[in-house]
Amino acid sequence: MRFVIIGGDAAGMSAASRARRNDPSLEIVVLEQGQDVSYSACNIPYNIADPERTIDDLVVRNAQTFREKLGIDLRTGHRVEQIDRDRKTVRGQTVQGGNFSLRYDALLIATGAKPIQPAIEGVDSPGVFVVKNLEDGRRIKSWLNHRKARRAVIVGMGYIALEMAEALVERGLTVDLIKPRPDLLPWLHPALMQPVRDTLVAKGIGLYDGHPIDRIESQDEALSVISGQLVLPADLVIVAIGVTPNNHLAKAADLALGIGGAIAVDRRLRTSDPAIFAAGDCADSYHLVTGQKTWIPLALRANRAGWAVADNVCGGEVELPGVAGTAVFKVFDMQVARSGLHEAEAKEAGFDPVVVQIKSKSRAGIYPGAQPIYVAMVGDRSSGRLLGAQITGTDQVAHRINAVAVALLAKMSVAEFCQNDLAYAPPFGPTWDPLLTAANQLRKALAQ
Amino acid sequence: MRFVIIGGDAAGMSAASRARRNDPSLEIVVLEQGQDVSYSACNIPYNIADPERTIDDLVVRNAQTFREKLGIDLRTGHRVEQIDRDRKTVRGQTVQGGNFSLRYDALLIATGAKPIQPAIEGVDSPGVFVVKNLEDGRRIKSWLNHRKARRAVIVGMGYIALEMAEALVERGLTVDLIKPRPDLLPWLHPALMQPVRDTLVAKGIGLYDGHPIDRIESQDEALSVISGQLVLPADLVIVAIGVTPNNHLAKAADLALGIGGAIAVDRRLRTSDPAIFAAGDCADSYHLVTGQKTWIPLALRANRAGWAVADNVCGGEVELPGVAGTAVFKVFDMQVARSGLHEAEAKEAGFDPVVVQIKSKSRAGIYPGAQPIYVAMVGDRSSGRLLGAQITGTDQVAHRINAVAVALLAKMSVAEFCQNDLAYAPPFGPTWDPLLTAANQLRKALAQ
């Protein structure tokens, strides 16, 4: 029995390692087109922030460990170009130019996602970067070091854009953020977005949302991002406007695609071909709240899906219930957390959403260091169900969202959520945690 | 309709305020024997730590606000001495020595708890204090200021004892902790207790668990706590060995008492007399995990029960599902959190507990500031149900426990808990949060 895995990052290497633990005799082959496997992509901005650290610090386990300790046939520099479903064979090219072909009994596509490249003139100029893999990180660090970059423009305002803004400010650069559409984080409740915007402005970051980009000019190693009359000079430009699933192999093999072009998989991670699984950023998943398909490329679900594929390849019947859409990031001292649906998503999914927004304190009001904390919470008027929440603030925000994530898996009503016996001590919150205050108010609003 | 409340702290004033919001015409009388109402008892140790702050900072709302803004007939200095159930009347004495008697339609007993006074010779000496109400706080602060206290002995090692130890070390005192039974926190998994012990020792605190106390000697304003050959000198002694419900009124009125002498109430907070409710530290409650009665005197459940009583007095039919036993405290930089049952409690409740204990990191391993975090998690072998968890560590511990608290309300299995879509970003945890790592291991252990 041969288990072939295309892609050696989170989902792929999680599947390989777990399959080995499940079955010491299974033949496991991983085909990775690059040289890096099993690295922490999420840490790239923090690594870039620190000139003392090398990007290779981000390698969690190197290829040798997988080969020697786990007995996984890990082949880096192997680019798969075709999946022949009839012959259960993958074919491709090595980095040296040789061809290879390999039969599989079970196949996992774990090809991840790739950054979206906008159709902007000059986006391919030297000094314009995306932030996706270690090689991108290496190039950015090298550019920062050798060009003595002083100004950066970041195209995009998603969480990677914001994490990179922080990293570059930490490195002493002046940073501008620009994007065509209005609003810093359009999915965030306006009252929760304002403190994020304030934080960025206080750090001297230029915020140019609602600015369509005409072109990136490059002259004598000096870059400029042009939007109408606005000219933003830069020594480097980061493009971080989102990612799109690497679906070309699946598409060419005529596998069903789902939302956003992600490979469609069932709850057991099977594609439309029962011998082929897909997991990680290239695959879709179910949303716990809507029950519908969604595509949320994040690290935990990639790891979890990799495990589930390994279990199912080894004879298991593991079904994943889906994702709650939980996410958290920080930018400077501001933390932003979400789980479940925001108002517009809830409407789109056919719910009748009611939203409350409250401001409370991160600790007991009279405890030193208490900071404002903002919560928005969404419930469904007809069923009373909790649909989602968002939190922003500078103190003890991130882990608070997990109470909501658990409640969403449990399909709790807002009224039930109000009854949660959450922890209280003055250093950690008011007696009624901000989440309970929001839930109590949402319960009232739902009853009206 | 007259709603009479005995006791003007968390449960009592929560009930009074909510009853007023529910019904502007209700006659609400609160009888409080002391002068302080609605204060934050949980903040007393932190206030004592700070010589610049007065204890009156802890008053959340003063009596005048309740009287004038909420129209609540709040009578301080009124000690109730008898509940005459036949005549629906309470009788008592005012602080000035006058008698009063008052008919009620609905009565709430919210008399709280009182510190346990051990039968130790010399426990009534000047300089020996308990920590329960604002008056205790005033006395301790005054003693610290006027006696220039340099050494303290604390009898007890529960969370109030530890919070007081921190407060007195902050004030520059040398502190010893002593208690008769072994183990700092006997309910805490040994592997989780060790870092707490290490923290205390590193702060120079003497830990004398397993030391029965013979007597407290007092000579020329110098105190000594004597245990066999051990003599611990002190300028003040704090006794913090736990609390017991203030049940004497209920007992004398022949109301049913429950666990630990707490007043027995149903899920609607009714005592064995349907016209009389009890809430807060004087009353028992249901445990979410066991379904049995329990007595856990904590602030959130007191506030929540006060609200429920008010709603039920005003015609509602509010039932409280119960408490998960969630609690958190910190001592210096060490945070300790728990929810649900520990192993011994689980056995006692008739479960077949399986415990796993893991050590992980508070942040991604390569993110600056990542600290060890210790999790113990308990599941039931026969049902697969999650029964409880404990967490200790110095970074981002407190709010993590709430994911467990929510799962306990939802009666999740360990296998379900493993599927939680918890938040991940490098500053806030590894990709698999320590809770998920513990749950994954517990799931395996349950399957064996």
Side-chain angles (χ1 to χ4, degrees), chain A residues 31 37 107 126:
Chain A
L31 305 168
V37 294
L107 178 68

PDB file of all heavy atoms in Angstrom, chain A residues 31 37 107 126:
ATOM      1  N   LEU A  31       5.913  14.319  -2.168  1.00  0.00           N
ATOM      2  CA  LEU A  31       6.516  15.015  -3.305  1.00  0.00           C
ATOM      3  C   LEU A  31       6.358  16.514  -3.090  1.00  0.00           C
ATOM      4  O   LEU A  31       5.243  17.047  -3.134  1.00  0.00           O
ATOM      5  CB  LEU A  31       5.820  14.579  -4.600  1.00  0.00           C
ATOM      6  CG  LEU A  31       5.823  13.056  -4.836  1.00  0.00           C
ATOM      7  CD1 LEU A  31       4.866  12.684  -5.974  1.00  0.00           C
ATOM      8  CD2 LEU A  31       7.236  12.568  -5.140  1.00  0.00           C
ATOM      9  N   VAL A  37      10.273  22.049   3.967  1.00  0.00           N
ATOM     10  CA  VAL A  37       9.062  21.341   4.398  1.00  0.00           C
ATOM     11  C   VAL A  37       8.796  21.695   5.848  1.00  0.00           C
ATOM     12  O   VAL A  37       9.692  22.099   6.587  1.00  0.00           O
ATOM     13  CB  VAL A  37       9.209  19.801   4.278  1.00  0.00           C
ATOM     14  CG1 VAL A  37       9.337  19.385   2.813  1.00  0.00           C
ATOM     15  CG2 VAL A  37      10.380  19.279   5.091  1.00  0.00           C
ATOM     16  N   LEU A 107      -3.984   8.939  -2.580  1.00  0.00           N
ATOM     17  CA  LEU A 107      -3.271  10.184  -2.909  1.00  0.00           C
ATOM     18  C   LEU A 107      -3.844  11.322  -2.081  1.00  0.00           C
ATOM     19  O   LEU A 107      -5.064  11.421  -1.916  1.00  0.00           O
ATOM     20  CB  LEU A 107      -3.445  10.493  -4.399  1.00  0.00           C
ATOM     21  CG  LEU A 107      -2.797  11.797  -4.906  1.00  0.00           C
ATOM     22  CD1 LEU A 107      -1.271  11.702  -4.850  1.00  0.00           C
ATOM     23  CD2 LEU A 107      -3.261  12.113  -6.333  1.00  0.00           C
ATOM     24  N   PRO A 126      11.541  44.449  -9.493  1.00  0.00           N
ATOM     25  CA  PRO A 126      12.392  44.065  -8.365  1.00  0.00           C
ATOM     26  C   PRO A 126      12.028  44.923  -7.153  1.00  0.00           C
ATOM     27  O   PRO A 126      11.778  46.127  -7.295  1.00  0.00           O
ATOM     28  CB  PRO A 126      13.812  44.394  -8.847  1.00  0.00           C
ATOM     29  CG  PRO A 126      13.706  44.528 -10.332  1.00  0.00           C
ATOM     30  CD  PRO A 126      12.311  44.936 -10.663  1.00  0.00           C
TER      31      PRO A 126
END
